[in-house]
Amino acid sequence: MAAAQKFDVVIIGAGAAGLMCALTAGYRGRSVLLVDNAKQLGRKILISGGGRCNFTNQNIEPAAYLCHNSHFVKSALARFSQWDFIAMVERHGIAFHEKTLGQLFCDDSAKDIVTMLTTECDWAGVTIQLRTDIEQITQQDSGFSLQTSAGDYLCDSLVVATGGLSMPKLGATPFGYKVAEQFGLKLLPTTAGLVPFTLQPEDKIRYEQLSGIAVPVIATAACGKQFKEAMLFTHRGLSGPAVLQISSYWQPGEKISFNLLPEHDFVSWCTETTAASPKLSLKNALSRLLPKRLVERLIELGDLPDKNLNQLGKGEIQQLADYLHHWHIAPNGTEGYRTAEVTLGGVDTDELSSKTMAAKKVPGLYFIGEVMDVSGWLGGYNFQWSWSSGYAAGEVV
């Protein structure tokens, strides 16, 4: 039987965080093995942003992250910021553009980001091994031994970068959580985040024919968190950026409030429009502000009156304002990990150093990226956490 190969660092998981950690450690002269059970590197990077990879956001700030300890993300984000990653993208000549709200996308393809990271790993002398299953991890007097489907390895530092449970079709597994449990680290309950809502059966019947209609809204969760973006009606429920964002703050049983007219005060608008065109129907008037199919359906359902503007009384106008500015839905649930962009919860950050991502109780063990209890907003925030946490660990392993 072949002797175990020795590396300074073994990183399990060749996604965004693992790649960044590997190249950072490699440039420090460390011998690095990056292993993954997948057939290709960076699968989540490749499919993200519609294949163009929303690789970071110009407006990165700690407040955009959900974490049991709200201060945990500050150190890593400050030491490897969005500007540091943008500088790397520019060094590689990758063309990119801002879409909305500071979101940065490749002009061409997400493959450019994977190629960039792979090239950097190559320059840094990293050994990459795909199609490799980790069968057993054992803590040694100093470091760890790993039994894998490709042979045995020894290392001083072991980095877990295996991600969460979202998108199982890309190979997501609870492996990282099992490693944390093996070494006695606390886990926080996991749920799907940045995920579409499903509707209660009666609401599904009411709204399913609106599938495909998008409306700009302000979505508000019961906790008071708000997002101003688009909402999309789907066959099963509600999606779109506003819904994905607010889903991370939603608890089962709670209602979500949507302001369907975020740019208008309905009472003022109705008063002005009535003065100009008193005999205009509410349906035709509102169809100037909202998709016509939506207005027609709300009238069919009896939620809006089928009247002319000049037939509306003061009290009725106020009721309409309340309805349109506070349209409530109590979701039945979410679509779950199948379509979720992130996993909320995971390895408790109280178990880790915010500066190095090292496990406080287990010398030489590190957790980076989505496997821990850090989840960002939609729009490049989660990739930036991968780059920042990967860099933080890569600087010290």
Side-chain angles (χ1 to χ4, degrees):
M1 192 171 146
Q5 244 184 302
K6 174 78 168 71
F7 287 87
D8 294 327
V9 188
V10 172
I11 301 166
I12 306 172
L19 285 160
M20 176 57 77
C21 184
L23 68 91
T24 305
Y27 279 130
R28 291 175 46 241
R30 309 292 280 160
S31 60
V32 181
L33 172 65
L34 178 61
V35 295
D36 200 299
N37 62 0
K39 288 185 274 192
Q40 64 183 151
L41 293 164
R43 286 173 299 179
K44 217 167 174 184
I45 300 173
L46 291 169
I47 66 142
S48 70
R52 290 201 167 167
C53 186
N54 178 193
F55 56 81
T56 192
N57 194 295
Q58 291 180 327
N59 305 319
I60 298 291
E61 56 173 358
Y65 291 87
L66 290 85
C67 178
H68 188 62
N69 171 2
S70 59
H71 299 290
F72 182 83
V73 300
K74 291 178 180 174
S75 176
L77 290 174
R79 282 180 303 127
F80 190 86
S81 71
Q82 66 270 41
W83 311 116
D84 294 310
F85 193 78
I86 291 165
M88 185 189 285
V89 169
E90 288 175 334
R91 273 202 310 280
H92 283 257
I94 297 170
F96 63 91
H97 60 279
E98 181 187 348
K99 209 166 175 185
T100 54
L101 303 171
Q103 300 170 18
L104 300 182
F105 289 78
C106 297
D107 282 2
D108 187 22
S109 164
K111 285 180 192 161
D112 293 342
I113 298 295
V114 175
T115 300
M116 173 188 84
L117 294 166
T118 311
T119 301
E120 292 273 349
C121 281
D122 194 31
W123 291 344
V126 174
T127 302
I128 296 176
Q129 197 166 284
L130 300 174
R131 301 173 193 245
T132 301
D133 291 313
I134 310 295
E135 290 159 1
Q136 193 175 346
I137 299 170
T138 311
Q139 191 174 11
Q140 309 280 76
D141 291 340
S142 151
F144 303 85
S145 71
L146 286 84
Q147 284 177 279
T148 82
S149 57
D152 295 349
Y153 301 98
L154 295 169
C155 62
D156 297 322
S157 298
L158 178 64
V159 184
V160 179
T162 49
L165 300 172
S166 48
M167 301 192 183
K169 66 177 183 289
L170 294 183
T173 73
F175 179 84
Y177 306 139
K178 288 177 179 168
V179 176
E181 281 180 322
Q182 178 187 336
F183 290 101
L185 274 64
K186 185 184 173 195
L187 294 173
L188 295 176
T190 57
T191 53
L194 300 181
V195 63
F197 286 132
T198 55
L199 294 180
Q200 307 280 0
E202 61 274 20
D203 283 334
K204 185 173 180 290
I205 292 164
R206 285 164 67 85
Y207 301 119
E208 63 187 344
Q209 61 184 260
L210 298 173
S211 178
I213 289 177
V215 189
V217 297
I218 297 171
T220 307
C223 65
K225 192 71 198 169
Q226 291 190 328
F227 289 96
K228 184 180 180 182
E229 285 200 69
M231 172 185 75
L232 176 71
F233 288 91
T234 71
H235 286 296
R236 283 187 295 276
L238 299 174
S239 188
V243 169
L244 299 187
Q245 293 279 38
I246 213 71
S247 71
S248 295
Y249 294 86
W250 175 75
Q251 299 296 324
E254 291 179 351
K255 287 184 176 179
I256 301 287
S257 171
F258 294 93
N259 182 349
L260 300 178
L261 298 173
E263 303 299 334
H264 298 273
D265 173 87
F266 178 78
V267 174
S268 307
W269 172 85
C270 191
T271 306
E272 288 164 18
T273 310
T274 305
S277 314
K279 295 210 170 145
L280 189 64
S281 67
L282 177 66
K283 179 173 85 173
N284 288 341
L286 262 184
S287 296
R288 297 172 179 178
L289 305 182
L290 292 167
K292 192 174 183 186
R293 265 173 63 207
L294 173 59
V295 177
E296 287 174 343
R297 182 61 181 153
L298 294 178
I299 288 172
E300 267 174 41
L301 293 168
D303 292 352
L304 298 177
D306 191 6
K307 292 182 175 181
N308 291 346
L309 294 178
N310 62 0
Q311 294 174 302
L312 298 172
K314 224 177 186 175
E316 205 167 12
I317 290 170
Q318 190 54 56
Q319 277 179 338
L320 287 171
D322 291 342
Y323 176 81
L324 293 164
H325 290 305
H326 306 281
W327 185 71
H328 286 305
I329 283 284
N332 193 34
T334 73
E335 291 201 2
Y337 294 118
R338 187 180 62 81
T339 58
E341 302 225 359
V342 294
T343 305
L344 304 173
V347 179
D348 188 343
T349 56
D350 288 349
E351 301 275 13
L352 308 174
S353 159
S354 63
K355 291 190 170 56
T356 65
M357 308 296 133
K360 294 173 184 175
K361 295 187 293 210
V362 188
L365 181 63
Y366 300 78
F367 290 83
I368 58 175
E370 194 187 340
V371 71
M372 70 175 85
D373 171 41
V374 174
S375 303
W377 291 350
L378 188 71
Y381 292 90
N382 289 292
F383 274 129
Q384 186 58 47
W385 177 246
S386 292
W387 316 136
S388 297
S389 59
Y391 178 86
E395 281 279 274
V396 294
V397 289

